């Protein structure tokens, strides 16, 4: 049976997910078979597994860091917030239902055996399972129904590394307060502390290390520096940049993403932000829009509610006017649904049953269904005119996660290969080729797609060297090797390094 090491935090967004990804790559480099695990994840960024299930995007990223395929055992419970204290509950990769917070608390008892079974399967298959907690382990109002923090650590006697974010301040109070609020049986599992996101000279923090080790009787296992432009997908919207009105950021192509309240899978746009020709910004008001070269309507967990948000702010009218002037728009998943003529929700998937008008920028219409599509796909660019004409026929990969089917009278944007080898159509391209919709997440991770967009939107761009960027997981692992006490971590976890 494999060993376990758990990373918990003093709060949300202290860097647990990224640290787990880095540790997965580091220990994989050292010859161990490693897998990530998070019992319960609350996020709108999700991913389809190879067998057509759905898990949190962060665990798929961590699996990639470990150089293994993602599975539902790595994230048996996924909560996708829908607003009004409700979430869609995904268990073992399938939708269990939409529940209020109170309803979910009642159901937790029946979910714990699923969590335990998933974790033990991973421990049976791998040398090391790096477990991620959620939020803080000492939220006293939530501890009775804990499925993700100390209950998990106690179930397999996993040593816990407690992480605090020094960039947000209050790191001493956060660590001392967390240790104080832990029960004695929980406190004994804490092997040490990691100070994350440190800016400046770590030697200046030496008095802080002394204080923590003397006060809490545990070692500080490392001070991890702030790492700029890490190029690893964020877990949830806490990592999403705020809306701003800077135009173009000095790049050849100015891309504006509409920052919807329930934006999902916004890591779709990370490859755009990293491209030297593209300046990416998020906007949520008409006055921030200006005149971008491209507007993207992202995926969303609640298409109808977020379309109403755009209508309330006049963004729908602004986008229609922008398209009428020849502006370029791409809709991904829920954004694609919004670009059509209407959305039918006859089964009440997103609230009261009804039919609403879309933006009317594509001759398409969507009908919601209770069954969710979760599938990894490969195919090719089918668009023969417009934004992607320069790369027509080029291969691509991606994944779909959506509840609903969209029909269109427009030419398809992409062709997707089915299991039997036949091709099916995806998406739509408007008459002038400047409006495109698709269900494909991960679209911009395909180099051909970005090449096509740059060719269409900035034909005079000269480009730079095509030397591929360094592997972000290797880069992160190198940072952790320099800043963490790796032998101390191995000793705590009982790991025999290869």
């Amino acid at each position: 049976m494999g060993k376990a090491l758990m990373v918990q935090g003093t709060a949300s967004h202290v860097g647990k997910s990224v640290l787990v990804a880095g540790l997965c790559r580091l220990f994989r480099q050292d010859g161990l078979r490693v897998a990530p695990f998070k019992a319960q994840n609350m996020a709108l960024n999700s991913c389809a597994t190879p067998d057509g299930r759905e898990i949190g995007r962060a665990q798929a990223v961590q699996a990639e860091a470990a150089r293994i395929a993602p599975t539902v055992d790595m994230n048996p419970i996924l909560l996708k917030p829908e607003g009004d204290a409700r979430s869609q509950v995904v268990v073992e990769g399938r939708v269990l239902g939409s529940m209020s917070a109170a309803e979910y608390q009642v159901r937790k008892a029946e979910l714990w055996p699923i969590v335990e079974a998933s974790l033990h399967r991973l421990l049976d298959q791998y040398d090391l399972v790096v477990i991620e907690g959620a939020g803080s382990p000492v939220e006293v109002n939530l501890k009775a129904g804990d499925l993700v923090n100390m209950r998990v650590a106690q179930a397999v006697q996993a040593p816990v590394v407690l992480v605090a974010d020094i960039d947000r301040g209050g790191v001493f109070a956060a660590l001392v307060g967390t240790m104080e609020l832990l029960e004695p049986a929980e406190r004994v599992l804490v092997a040490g502390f990691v100070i994350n996101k440190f800016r400046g000279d770590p030697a200046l923090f030496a008095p802080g290390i002394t204080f923590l080790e003397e006060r809490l009787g545990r070692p500080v296992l490392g001070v991890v520096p702030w790492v700029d432009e890490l190029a690893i997908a964020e877990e949830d919207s806490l990592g999403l940049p705020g809306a701003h009105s800077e135009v173009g950021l000095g790049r050849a192509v100015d891309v504006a993403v509409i920052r919807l309240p329930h934006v999902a899978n916004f890591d779709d746009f990370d490859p755009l932000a990293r491209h030297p020709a593209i300046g990416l910004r998020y906007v949520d008001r008409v006055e921030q829009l200006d005149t971008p070269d491209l507007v993207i309507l992202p995926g969303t967990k609640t298409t109808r509610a977020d379309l109403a948000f755009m209508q309330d702010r006049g963004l729908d009218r602004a986008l229609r006017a922008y398209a009428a002037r020849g502006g370029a728009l791409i809709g991904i998943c829920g954004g694609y649904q919004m670009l059509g003529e209407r959305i039918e929700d006859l089964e009440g998937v997103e609230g009261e049953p009804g039919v609403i008008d879309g933006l009317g920028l594509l001759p398409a219409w969507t009908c919601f269904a209770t069954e969710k599509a979760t599938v990894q796909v490969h195919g090719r660019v089918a668009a023969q005119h417009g934004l992607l004409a320069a790369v027509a026929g080029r291969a691509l990969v991606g994944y779909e996660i959506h509840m609903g089917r969209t029909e269109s009278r427009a030419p398809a944007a992409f062709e997707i290969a089915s299991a039997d080898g036949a091709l099916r159509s995806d998406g739509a391209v408007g008459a002038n080729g400047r409006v495109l919709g698709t269900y494909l997440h991960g679209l911009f991770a395909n180099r051909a797609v970005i090449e096509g967009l740059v060719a269409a939107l900035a034909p005079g761009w000269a480009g730079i060297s095509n030397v591929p960027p360094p592997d972000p997981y290797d880069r992160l692992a190198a940072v952790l090797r320099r800043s963490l006490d790796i032998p101390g971590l191995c000793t705590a976890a009982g790991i025999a390094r290869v």
Side-chain angles (χ1 to χ4, degrees):
M1 185 172 178
K3 304 294 185 180
L5 177 68
M6 188 164 193
V7 176
Q8 296 188 22
T10 58
S12 295
H13 204 54
V14 299
K16 298 186 294 292
S17 297
V18 170
L19 288 176
V20 169
L23 290 171
C24 282
R25 174 54 59 89
L26 186 153
F27 287 117
R28 182 67 187 89
Q29 291 172 339
D30 287 353
L32 295 176
R33 295 173 300 122
V34 190
F37 176 79
K38 186 168 185 175
Q40 172 191 286
N41 195 348
M42 177 175 278
L44 290 177
N45 282 2
S46 63
C47 185
T49 62
D51 60 350
R53 304 295 182 98
E54 184 180 12
I55 65 172
R57 180 74 175 127
Q59 281 62 63
V61 164
Q62 292 159 357
E64 184 176 46
R67 296 193 173 107
I68 57 176
T71 70
V72 293
D73 281 337
M74 298 171 187
N75 178 213
I77 304 173
L78 174 63
L79 306 179
K80 306 189 76 173
E82 297 176 327
D84 298 325
R86 296 188 67 84
S87 291
Q88 182 185 80
V89 180
V90 180
V91 177
E92 295 185 293
R94 299 294 191 209
V95 176
L96 181 63
S98 177
M99 303 180 194
S100 68
E103 290 171 324
Y104 179 65
Q105 291 298 319
V106 173
R107 301 291 295 273
K108 276 187 171 182
E110 67 190 70
L111 297 178
W112 174 247
I114 294 173
V115 169
E116 277 195 305
S118 290
L119 178 53
H120 281 283
R121 277 193 292 270
L122 292 177
L123 288 168
D124 287 341
Q125 296 172 46
Y126 294 92
D127 301 318
L128 174 66
V129 177
V130 186
I131 306 170
E132 181 185 346
S136 161
V138 291
E139 302 293 349
V140 295
N141 58 313
L142 301 176
K143 284 192 69 173
D146 177 32
L147 289 175
V148 67
N149 285 310
M150 279 299 179
R151 188 176 184 185
V152 174
Q154 290 176 311
V156 292
Q157 289 298 292
V160 173
V161 176
L162 188 60
V163 181
D165 176 4
I166 197 169
D167 188 58
R168 66 173 58 186
V171 69
F172 300 105
L175 287 169
V176 173
T178 299
M179 290 295 286
E180 178 66 25
L181 290 172
L182 288 172
E183 299 295 332
E186 298 169 335
R187 197 177 300 129
V188 73
L189 290 174
V190 177
F193 313 109
V194 168
I195 309 302
N196 199 23
K197 306 182 188 178
F198 189 90
R199 300 176 190 260
D201 183 356
L204 300 177
F205 192 65
I209 292 177
T210 300
F211 167 82
L212 289 170
E213 292 184 339
E214 291 180 351
R215 176 68 180 261
L216 300 176
R218 306 287 195 286
V220 173
L221 294 166
V223 178
V224 179
W226 180 277
V227 184
D228 286 321
E229 299 180 2
L230 191 52
I232 292 177
E234 293 281 358
E235 179 178 37
D236 55 37
S237 59
L238 285 174
L240 184 66
H244 56 79
S245 57
E246 300 172 48
V247 176
L249 302 176
R251 305 289 181 88
V253 181
D254 174 26
V255 178
V257 179
I258 304 300
R259 196 183 198 279
L260 300 170
H262 302 96
V263 60
N265 291 73
F266 58 82
D267 62 297
D268 280 346
F269 314 119
D270 289 351
L272 295 174
R274 293 193 293 268
H275 194 279
I278 297 172
L280 186 79
R281 56 196 176 93
Y282 289 82
V283 304
D284 58 13
R285 296 183 182 277
V286 172
E287 56 268 26
Q288 298 167 339
L289 189 60
D290 205 83
T291 55
D293 299 298
L294 172 67
V295 173
I296 298 178
L297 276 174
T300 167
K301 181 64 186 69
T302 54
T303 302
R304 292 171 60 185
D306 282 2
L307 182 55
F309 163 85
M310 293 200 350
Q311 293 167 340
D312 289 343
R313 296 201 169 188
L315 283 164
D316 60 329
R317 297 186 296 275
L319 292 184
R320 289 191 188 98
Y322 170 78
R325 297 192 301 268
L329 287 99
I330 294 179
I332 306 292
C333 199
Y336 171 33
Q337 295 169 341
M338 292 182 189
L339 288 176
E341 296 170 349
R342 68 181 186 275
I343 299 171
E344 301 176 359
D345 188 3
L346 305 182
E347 298 184 56
V349 173
E350 288 191 0
E352 291 296 321
V355 179
I356 61 172
D357 292 333
L359 297 177
L361 298 178
L362 284 174
W365 56 99
T366 296
C367 182
F368 284 163
T370 54
E371 184 176 354
K372 178 181 283 192
T374 55
V375 60
Q376 294 185 354
V377 301
H378 66 276
R380 66 190 184 195
V381 178
Q384 298 295 317
H385 70 296
L387 296 175
L388 298 180
V391 293
R394 295 277 291 273
L396 56 79
V397 296
Y399 61 98
E400 298 180 30
I401 298 178
H402 56 91
M403 301 181 77
R405 180 175 178 180
T406 299
E407 302 287 344
S408 173
R409 300 187 300 273
F414 306 100
E415 290 181 329
I416 305 302
S418 300
D420 60 1
L423 294 175
R424 62 176 173 86
S425 297
D426 169 79
V429 181
N432 68 355
R434 305 280 289 177
V435 181
L436 182 151
T438 176
Y439 273 118
L440 295 185
H441 291 292
L443 179 66
F444 303 114
N446 294 279
R447 186 171 177 176
V449 172
I450 295 186
E451 287 177 1
L453 288 176
V454 173
L457 300 173
W461 187 68
I464 61 172
S465 170
N466 286 323
V467 175
D471 185 299
Y473 306 116
D474 285 345
R475 181 185 172 211
L476 176 58
V479 170
L480 297 187
R481 282 191 194 280
R482 293 192 300 267
S483 55
L484 294 181
D485 178 4
I486 303 302
L489 286 174
C490 291
T491 298
I495 301 169
R497 298 169 74 186
V498 176

